[in-house]
Amino acid sequence: MFGLIDCNNFYVSCERVFQPRLEGRPVVVLSNNDGCIISRSAEAKALGLKMGDPYFQVKAQLQREQVQVFSSNYTLYGDMSRRVMHYLGATVPSVEVYSIDEAFLDLSGLQRHLMPYLGDLDALARQVRAGVRARTGIPVCVGVAPTKTLAKLANRLAKKDTALAGVLYLDSAERRAWALGQVAVGDVWGVGRQYAQKLTAAGVDSAADLARVSEAWARKHLGGVVGARLVRELQGFPCAGLAPSEDGTLHRQSISCSRTFGRPLRERELVLGAVASFVARAAEKLRRQGELAHVLTVFISKNRFGPDADAAGGHSRSAVLTLPVPTSDTRELTARAGQLLARLWEPGAVYVKAGVVLAGLEAPGGQQLGLFEAAPAAQAATTEPRGAQLMATLDGLNERFGRGTVRLAAALGPKGGGPVPWQGQAAWRTPAYTTRLEDLLTVS
Amino acid sequence: MYDVLLIPVQEAPLPTCLPVFSYRVTAGFPSPATDELEGLFDLNRLLFRHPDATYLVRVMGESMAGAEIHAGDLLAVDKHLEADHGHIVVAVVDGDCTVKRLERKGDTWWLMPANPAFRPYQIQTGEELHIWGVVTHVVHELIPGKLTALLLSRD
């Protein structure tokens, strides 16, 4: 049995914990750079506000309806998420942190074990829900089912139907059949928009319809074995267990860092500064994971709606470089990223976003030797230990004195100081209530 | 009579400064004490029963001066504990967070300040009072330091 626990309107709920007066009032949280709506309270949903609505389009409505608007405060959301996940980890045998506000729980074997004490998994789910609420003030919903796909589906229904009080346990075949009938095929976990269109065209409208298709049909029309597994999961046969979590136990396959700039940039050195600061952040994560990257990708995006947006729709360009020797050294990666940026750069163009991706990650020591590179022994004697030591010192200083205390000169802002132009806008960000001494909640 | 128990607090290790430009670092002799190190003394563990349900908040004003809670102090608030008669709690009144002592007198419940200049607040029957959390500890600075500086910078 699997459980899926999902926090309701997580970002809005976090804000409400520290501003109780917002309870019962419409609240929205905006994405990075105050771009669009990414979290809505129930009251905001009732006003017809949609996920992804660009702020400038709904600004008048937000003002008219007196909706409380916040910039995203990831410091706060990250800490609240940590508290939720830590509690889950202490309560059930195994947890997969699926996203900042969602986690899968492995409940196999618990049923028999718990029966004498708690009764049912139903009771456990209710206890977990109350526990998260009590410790963090954040409301959650729990779905419990034999497979992850069904648990996700159960969670969806638990959230929709207030009569279920936030918990749905699909313990019997009848209940599963009922639940499958309630959900449109496009809302099944793993069915994207394109597949949803294809499926509806083929007469497969609900999750129940999808659970009835043959394995051969699924293989043919739903991307081979992935589709076949999806159907099996809907039928109640588990095809996937818990994956390692995001919270450091997981070794990520790739590490990326990208942001929309605070204002559109046409100066190359400013875009280079942005790219350098993203490289620094990604390389820091890479080193924390203790690995080296083989492949470096840099991308930059022009304004999709601006006058010089490409007629062909290609507003984003990227360049990839396979490094001769894998590295986690910020200096090396920054220099390479600069070369890639030079390749992509179009003079006169206006850019609104950039990003870097580090991929092909591997643990140090297992490298293929480069035919044209110095042998590792020779290399180790010259650059390597000093480079590693320098990076360790850099990370240590930044951890101790705050992120970005020590940077490469390339990642500094424009001459003469002032705000860094690639840093996003966040006009309505709340304080970091739980992590900064200066920002703690005050009580009188 | 006061019983004062001295708890030996392990000294925090000196910050390690890596020589950035030196070519080679010799490690020297290992300290004979490292074998005896029992792990650092962690105040969080000692004090907070539910660290993940504990939030620090800052006090404004002197409404709880009689309970040794002063402006600028830090409070550790446990959201998980169930509030009961006699607890000092953070409660939500009209959408604002306030710290008061929760008291029952007969059939009525009160939020009591610990300062005669402030008025007690009676919780009306049927009123859904939201208890944000129970105060478990007060951090009060006796020698002016960061908390005092923070308080002064606010005024």
Side-chain angles (χ1 to χ4, degrees):
Chain A
M1 281 289 169
F2 291 95
L4 178 75
I5 185 157
D6 189 1
C7 303
N8 303 354
N9 323 321
F10 182 58
Y11 299 166
V12 165
S13 298
C14 288
E15 299 290 354
R16 275 182 169 164
V17 170
F18 296 93
Q19 295 191 55
R21 60 171 62 249
L22 298 175
E23 217 58 63
R25 292 182 41 194
V27 182
V28 298
V29 174
L30 302 179
S31 64
N32 211 331
N33 213 17
D34 296 340
C36 52
I37 295 178
I38 50 168
S39 182
R40 306 161 296 160
S41 70
E43 299 78 10
K45 287 176 190 168
L47 291 174
L49 294 162
K50 296 271 176 296
M51 279 303 255
D53 277 352
Y55 172 65
F56 71 89
Q57 273 182 14
V58 292
K59 193 172 167 186
Q61 189 193 354
L62 293 171
Q63 265 164 7
R64 197 174 55 243
E65 315 267 16
Q66 296 190 314
V67 179
Q68 181 74 50
V69 177
F70 290 113
S71 306
S72 36
N73 181 351
Y74 284 106
T75 317
L76 176 66
Y77 311 152
D79 182 58
M80 295 306 280
S81 172
R82 180 187 64 77
R83 290 170 187 262
V84 172
M85 300 308 172
H86 192 275
Y87 165 68
L88 295 179
T91 309
V92 300
S94 176
V95 177
E96 172 189 349
V97 179
Y98 184 65
S99 70
I100 193 166
D101 58 353
E102 270 177 286
F104 282 105
L105 317 175
D106 187 350
L107 308 174
S108 34
L110 274 191
Q111 175 94 23
R112 204 171 2 143
H113 180 68
L114 282 178
M115 273 300 209
Y117 311 100
L118 267 176
D120 218 339
L121 288 182
D122 230 0
L124 176 72
R126 276 195 296 272
Q127 184 202 312
V128 167
R129 181 169 184 268
V132 173
R133 184 72 191 242
R135 277 150 221 266
T136 61
I138 290 172
V140 299
C141 286
V142 191
V144 181
T147 70
K148 287 171 85 177
T149 310
L150 283 173
K152 191 100 177 161
L153 191 137
N155 185 285
R156 192 185 172 81
L157 290 172
K159 209 167 251 187
K160 278 252 160 73
D161 190 346
T162 46
L164 295 170
V167 173
L168 178 60
Y169 176 26
L170 301 181
D171 54 346
S172 64
E174 295 78 47
R175 285 200 131 172
R176 287 201 288 278
W178 166 79
L180 287 168
Q182 301 294 306
V183 175
V185 77
D187 293 331
V188 172
W189 187 43
V191 176
R193 196 152 29 117
Q194 290 196 338
Y195 275 131
Q197 282 172 358
K198 209 166 147 185
L199 284 164
T200 336
V204 179
D205 291 317
S206 68
D209 295 337
L210 184 57
R212 274 194 290 267
V213 306
S214 73
E215 188 181 332
W217 195 90
R219 271 181 191 272
K220 189 164 172 211
H221 298 283
L222 287 174
V225 71
V226 180
R229 272 195 200 141
L230 172 60
V231 172
R232 292 283 288 168
E233 283 249 317
L234 282 179
Q235 290 166 348
F237 302 102
C239 298
L242 294 196
S245 310
E246 272 277 347
D247 59 344
T249 50
L250 166 79
H251 270 235
R252 274 173 261 205
Q253 303 297 307
S254 70
I255 293 175
S256 65
C257 182
S258 71
R259 298 252 193 295
T260 307
F261 305 144
R263 62 171 171 84
L265 300 175
R266 60 170 74 242
E267 304 86 348
R268 177 144 155 212
E269 65 271 25
L270 291 184
V271 177
L272 179 62
V275 169
S277 66
F278 302 157
V279 167
R281 187 80 189 103
E284 194 183 304
K285 286 188 195 168
L286 180 65
R287 290 193 292 271
R288 199 177 311 146
Q289 185 165 311
E291 289 188 312
L292 306 173
H294 242 300
V295 181
L296 170 67
T297 306
V298 172
F299 69 86
I300 45 178
S301 307
K302 287 186 260 185
N303 193 343
R304 198 191 304 216
F305 308 107
D308 48 23
D310 234 317
H315 59 276
S316 191
R317 297 185 63 198
S318 66
V320 184
L321 176 77
T322 304
L323 300 161
V325 177
T327 182
S328 64
D329 190 311
T330 305
R331 297 167 303 167
E332 163 84 6
L333 290 166
T334 305
R336 300 286 185 178
Q339 292 163 8
L340 291 178
L341 183 66
R343 263 203 252 160
L344 297 170
W345 190 259
E346 292 171 44
V350 180
Y351 293 98
V352 295
K353 184 179 180 176
V356 299
V357 183
L358 302 176
L361 309 186
E362 57 181 51
Q367 289 91 357
Q368 175 75 45
L369 303 184
L371 186 57
F372 303 108
E373 305 299 323
Q379 213 178 28
T382 56
T383 61
E384 276 301 299
R386 289 178 63 190
Q389 212 174 74
L390 177 58
M391 288 303 123
T393 309
L394 182 85
D395 291 344
L397 286 171
N398 284 336
E399 191 176 319
R400 184 154 164 220
F401 297 106
R403 186 174 297 164
T405 302
V406 183
R407 283 173 283 182
L408 294 192
L412 290 177
K415 286 197 189 78
V420 187
W422 59 79
Q423 223 146 52
Q425 287 158 8
W428 309 283
R429 181 177 296 162
T430 47
Y433 292 112
T434 56
T435 48
R436 259 175 66 92
L437 181 64
E438 291 80 359
D439 287 355
L440 295 179
L441 180 70
T442 55
V443 297
S444 54
Chain B
M1 159 169 174
Y2 296 96
D3 281 316
V4 176
L5 175 67
L6 287 179
I7 303 172
V9 176
Q10 300 259 10
E11 217 176 289
L14 287 173
T16 347
C17 297
L18 292 179
V20 176
F21 298 106
S22 94
Y23 199 67
R24 206 169 277 181
V25 191
T26 45
F29 289 106
S31 158
T34 47
D35 287 347
E36 305 298 321
L37 202 67
E38 287 178 0
L40 298 171
F41 192 83
D42 186 354
L43 269 184
N44 295 333
R45 281 193 160 192
L46 177 78
L47 300 182
F48 305 140
R49 218 181 297 176
H50 311 115
D52 286 299
T54 299
Y55 299 77
L56 292 177
V57 306
R58 270 163 49 80
V59 179
M60 308 279 273
E62 292 286 345
S63 71
M64 293 300 283
E68 302 302 341
I69 296 176
H70 301 281
D73 287 356
L74 292 187
L75 303 180
V77 182
D78 191 328
K79 270 180 95 64
H80 182 54
L81 283 180
E82 201 165 334
D84 201 352
H85 167 76
H87 280 152
I88 292 180
V89 299
V90 171
V92 180
V93 176
D94 297 330
D96 280 323
C97 287
T98 179
V99 54
K100 296 287 176 291
R101 189 185 296 277
L102 185 65
E103 277 183 22
R104 188 175 60 196
K105 294 175 181 172
D107 285 344
T108 56
W109 284 87
W110 295 76
L111 290 176
M112 299 294 291
N115 182 339
F118 291 79
R119 299 234 321 252
Y121 177 92
Q122 188 186 352
I123 301 160
Q124 301 301 322
T125 37
E127 175 185 355
E128 213 176 288
L129 185 86
H130 177 191
I131 300 287
W132 200 90
V134 176
V135 178
T136 58
H137 298 81
V138 186
V139 180
H140 178 74
E141 222 163 52
L142 296 177
I143 296 175
K146 277 191 179 166
L147 295 183
T148 313
L150 201 60
L151 185 67
L152 293 176
S153 72
R154 283 274 170 94
D155 294 339

